[in-house]
Amino acid sequence: MMSISFTLVAAATLSQSAPTSWVPDAAEQTALEALHAASGVPGMQIAVIDDGEVRWHANYGVMNVETRQPVTDETLFQVASLSKPIFAYLVLRMLEEGRIGLDDKLVDYVVPFDMPEHEWNREITVRHVMTHRTGLQNWRPAAPDAAAAMVPKCKPGTCESYSGEAFMWLQQVLETVTQKSTTELLDEYIFEPGQIDASLGWRPEIGARTATGHYIDRDTGEVKAHREFGDAWGPAIQAVAERWDRDIDSWTMWDWFNALRVAHPVSPRVADLSFTQMSQPTDIDAGVPGSIRASAEDYARFMTLLMDTTPAAEWKISPQSRHWMLSAHGERWHDNLPGGFGLGIERKGDTRYFYHSGNNGNAFKSFMFGHPDTGRGVVVLTNGQAGDELYWQVYDLLIDEEFLSNSKPLDD
């Protein structure tokens, strides 16, 4: 196994004011039920980690306001952009194995057919993608300006630019290098050895287990099911897989783009859009920026891999890589909130924390927060537009300490 050629940043020391356990007591569990009941969010899952192990989890509400099917331990939520830290972990495995290099240029592996020629695009590296410093925008607009929009706003490495497009480009690099789908890679490197029940993108076997997203009707204020999140797409995609006689798990992103071009006429919402190679047209595909489905309990199992308390294993990234992943890789708008490697970092005194939020179409809202020194963490998954308001309240209740990253932003 090859090692990564970067400098190890020593683990931060635990401060004297380290928080107590975040596992809720009986009174707090009752308060959590009340918070959900008053939120207008159809369903929610919470999982809490203590000393590097998942110690508590709970389900609230329903998967769908129309069917009233309850959220259970078997329910899967779209974790949205909480997918990115999982992909970052996979990228570190590829770096450790020498499959790719941290400062390799993406164009040396794959050049998207619709990417405009520009000198800055040819400078984008693996490091730039994983630290959100490519200069590329998050998602390009619809046709006819899609390709033209894929020009960095700055020289790569010189500005922060949160970009799902860049993650999908790097995803294609990994698929090119390994000759495997990202679904297969995640299953092989993370989900199966970690005993994590999660799925990248839609699969027929998870359809009945997956929660429906919800939005708030602007005119009536009513909470309504968001039908465009997989319900109508699943059968059409499965029909394509049957015509191709190929298992969906083996599909690369290129296969997904072709399949969606075949299937998209069934959805009036996207019938007039021109799907281009890097854009993510719908959350049903296996795009690493935001398409992983998991329960809060299983997502928390992934979070335990980021803790200093996690036991070493051959299939895991090394302790050096883990500490490096959770170190600062570029300043952001606040000195205490630097960018990490595929996630956010919060510095508080001598202690560091990690976090990430997620939002798919304002219909799924999620947040995770962890303290690697003590092995404590919390993840909240919701399937409603008001989910961010709810998870802010959850964190305020469970973590009796003020943080910049997991508290509702103050009004200017």
Side-chain angles (χ1 to χ4, degrees), residues 43-233:
M44 175 175 70
Q45 289 180 331
I46 305 173
V48 180
I49 304 165
D50 191 59
D51 196 25
E53 296 184 6
V54 183
R55 301 290 189 185
W56 182 86
H57 69 280
N59 306 298
Y60 305 83
V62 297
M63 296 170 58
N64 185 305
V65 295
E66 297 173 358
T67 66
R68 308 305 299 177
Q69 185 176 354
V71 175
T72 70
D73 287 352
E74 296 299 310
T75 303
L76 304 177
F77 281 71
Q78 290 185 34
V79 305
S81 286
L82 269 59
S83 304
K84 292 181 175 73
I86 298 179
F87 182 63
Y89 197 92
L90 175 64
V91 170
L92 280 167
R93 288 297 314 277
M94 297 294 101
L95 288 166
E96 288 186 328
E97 291 187 359
R99 300 288 193 99
I100 55 174
L102 190 60
D103 293 308
D104 286 357
K105 296 178 180 179
L106 271 59
V107 294
D108 290 338
Y109 296 94
V110 175
V111 180
F113 75 87
D114 61 344
M115 173 168 281
E117 181 62 35
H118 194 283
E119 60 177 335
W120 286 349
N121 277 328
R122 294 196 164 272
E123 296 182 16
I124 293 174
T125 67
V126 174
R127 186 195 302 268
H128 293 147
V129 174
M130 299 310 301
T131 58
H132 291 291
R133 302 183 73 80
T134 63
L136 295 173
Q137 62 182 283
N138 191 16
W139 296 115
R140 70 181 75 186
D145 301 321
M150 293 309 297
V151 172
K153 66 180 181 180
C154 66
K155 180 180 175 63
T158 65
C159 70
E160 181 186 13
S161 57
Y162 188 87
S163 177
E165 296 273 5
F167 267 64
M168 291 191 72
W169 186 4
L170 181 55
Q171 177 178 359
Q172 294 173 60
V173 169
L174 263 58
E175 292 178 340
T176 300
V177 169
T178 63
Q179 291 298 291
K180 294 181 178 180
S181 72
T182 309
T183 298
E184 293 170 325
L185 291 172
L186 288 172
D187 286 346
E188 175 185 351
Y189 281 86
I190 301 176
F191 296 155
E192 291 178 2
Q195 298 182 326
I196 297 169
D197 181 12
S199 174
L200 177 63
W202 182 87
R203 303 178 183 183
E205 59 269 25
I206 69 169
R209 298 174 55 198
T210 305
T212 299
H214 298 82
Y215 68 98
I216 299 174
D217 188 284
R218 293 181 179 179
D219 296 326
T220 66
E222 182 182 0
V223 176
K224 294 185 176 180
H226 202 309
R227 287 297 183 187
E228 292 161 355
F229 280 84
D231 292 356
W233 286 88

Side-chain angles (χ1 to χ4, degrees), residues 1-8 91-104 127 316-322 324:
M1 179 180 291
M2 297 182 64
S3 61
I4 308 173
S5 58
F6 48 56
T7 302
L8 168 63
V91 170
L92 280 167
R93 288 297 314 277
M94 297 294 101
L95 288 166
E96 288 186 328
E97 291 187 359
R99 300 288 193 99
I100 55 174
L102 190 60
D103 293 308
D104 286 357
R127 186 195 302 268
K316 297 178 183 179
I317 61 175
S318 67
Q320 293 88 347
S321 295
R322 187 180 67 251
W324 189 83

